[in-house]
Structures are given as structure tokens and as C-alpha cells.
Amino acid sequence: MRIGHSPTCIWFCTTNIDGIAAATVGSIINYLILGLGIQVDRFYLHSFEILLACTVVFPGIGNLGYTLLEYRIGHRSFFAALFENLRWVPFFVFFFGGLSIHLTTALLAHMCSYDMTWGSTGKEVERSTFWIEVPAIWRRFKLSFITCFLCIAMMIIFTTNVVPFEWQIPGYQWALIIPLSLVVGCHILLPHPRSSNWTLDYAIW
């Protein structure tokens, strides 16, 4: 049995997709629950704690382990391998950080039996201008941008006197703001393309 088609591998892929898809909704819920002071039990994990754990495990220990592996097998020197691995960290942060809304849309489309497909950016050279591309980008990623701008507006409004004092979430509560800001920023800076007919392609399985 090939590991790529084993039930364990499929289970891990599914849980990873579900976890990434839940990032936006989970960050918003965490921001509101903890910011508004809603009572939760001690089993509730804060988003910042999860973010810190993922940062230590994946960009930290994961890259260190792979660096030591490359050094031990003689593929690269230690510092060359470390530099090679660390330079990919920003890309992966923005790439995986900008997947949440699109994966949520895909999972909801699958639950509702709505056809959806992932697309890729065109590789052909085409004559274009800034004024042509900006409206096209807005049309393709309108859902992501609207969601992100609403989240930004929500975070700003909750810091002002527009809401009652007991409902305000001041800016110094960075443990609430950083997870949601990271998700929002990644979606704005690196939107992921998908095709217009919204068909979910399960060929990856």
C-alpha cells in the first residue's frame, strides 16, 4: 500500500484542510469571545497560544530539523541549509495564511453539492495595465476582500467610543488582534486564484 493513498495520509490531509479553513472563522470567534469577556472554561485554547505553538513547531523546530538533516547527510553546510530553509518561511506564511477563506468556501460548496473548481494563474504574456488588472483582481477576490475589510472595520470600531466601554476591545490586547490581523493581512497580500465556474476538483486525492 502506498503511503500517499493510505487512510492515515488521507485523514491527515483532511484534518489539515479543515484546520486551515477554520482559521478565519476561529480567529473572528476568538476575537469576539475573549475581547467581549464572555466566560469560557479552562479547556478553551486561545488563538494566540495556538499560533505560538504552530510557529514554534513548523517554522522553528521543523526548519531546524531539516537543516540538521541536510548538514548530517553532507548536502549543505549548516548555515547554508539554515538560510535556504528560513528564506521560504515568509512565502509559506503568506501562502497558507491566505488559504482559509477559499478553503471554507470550498468545503461549504462541497457540503451543499455546489460545483467548484480551483484554477491557476495564466502563464501567457498578455498586454495589460494597472487600471485593467485592479478591477479584475477585485472581481476575482471580492469575497475575500470584503471579508477582510469588514474584519478590519470591526477591529477599528471596537477600539473606539462608538461601542459601550464594557464592549470595547483596546488595541493593547495584542493577543487577540495578532491572530485575526495575520489572517486578514495574508488574504489581502496574497489572494489565491480560483476559476470562475466554482467547481471543487478532488483530483488531489
Side-chain angles (χ1 to χ4, degrees):
M1 180 177 62
R2 291 186 298 173
I3 187 65
H5 294 86
S6 68
T8 303
C9 181
I10 294 175
W11 181 79
F12 275 119
C13 290
T14 304
T15 52
N16 285 336
I17 290 174
D18 292 340
I20 296 174
T24 301
V25 177
S27 297
I28 295 173
I29 293 175
N30 178 81
Y31 177 82
L32 294 175
I33 287 178
L34 299 182
L36 298 178
I38 300 175
Q39 293 296 323
V40 293
D41 58 29
R42 60 188 179 88
F43 295 103
Y44 180 79
L45 293 177
H46 301 181
S47 287
F48 186 76
E49 296 175 359
I50 299 174
L51 174 64
L52 187 61
C54 291
T55 302
V56 171
V57 171
F58 293 105
I61 298 176
N63 281 320
L64 179 61
Y66 191 65
T67 298
L68 292 174
L69 173 65
E70 288 190 304
Y71 172 71
R72 291 293 300 273
I73 64 177
H75 187 255
R76 286 191 180 95
S77 66
F78 177 81
F79 291 105
L82 183 64
F83 174 76
E84 175 69 20
N85 292 324
L86 290 181
R87 73 175 186 168
W88 284 97
V89 171
F91 168 77
F92 284 126
V93 167
F94 287 110
F95 178 80
F96 289 107
L99 276 176
S100 176
I101 294 177
H102 307 294
L103 288 178
T104 302
T105 306
L107 292 175
L108 291 175
H110 175 60
M111 290 173 57
C112 300
S113 299
Y114 192 76
D115 289 337
M116 180 177 182
T117 189
W118 292 99
S120 60
T121 54
K123 302 300 186 293
E124 298 82 9
V125 178
E126 298 178 357
R127 186 180 299 275
S128 183
T129 64
F130 176 82
W131 305 109
I132 294 176
E133 291 301 322
V134 169
I137 291 173
W138 170 257
R139 285 194 301 270
R140 294 186 69 185
F141 308 112
K142 183 163 55 177
L143 174 63
S144 298
F145 286 142
I146 290 176
T147 304
C148 292
F149 292 143
L150 287 176
C151 289
I152 293 173
M154 176 185 68
M155 289 189 286
I156 293 174
I157 290 173
F158 272 111
T159 61
T160 63
N161 293 326
V162 176
V163 296
F165 178 77
E166 59 273 12
W167 288 0
Q168 291 182 12
I169 305 176
Y172 59 77
Q173 294 191 8
W174 47 268
L176 305 179
I177 296 174
I178 288 178
L180 183 56
S181 300
L182 185 62
V183 171
V184 169
C186 290
H187 278 86
I188 292 176
L189 294 176
L190 188 64
H192 291 274
R194 62 171 181 266
S195 61
S196 58
N197 58 352
W198 291 66
T199 308
L200 183 58
D201 184 4
Y202 279 99
I204 58 173
W205 301 110

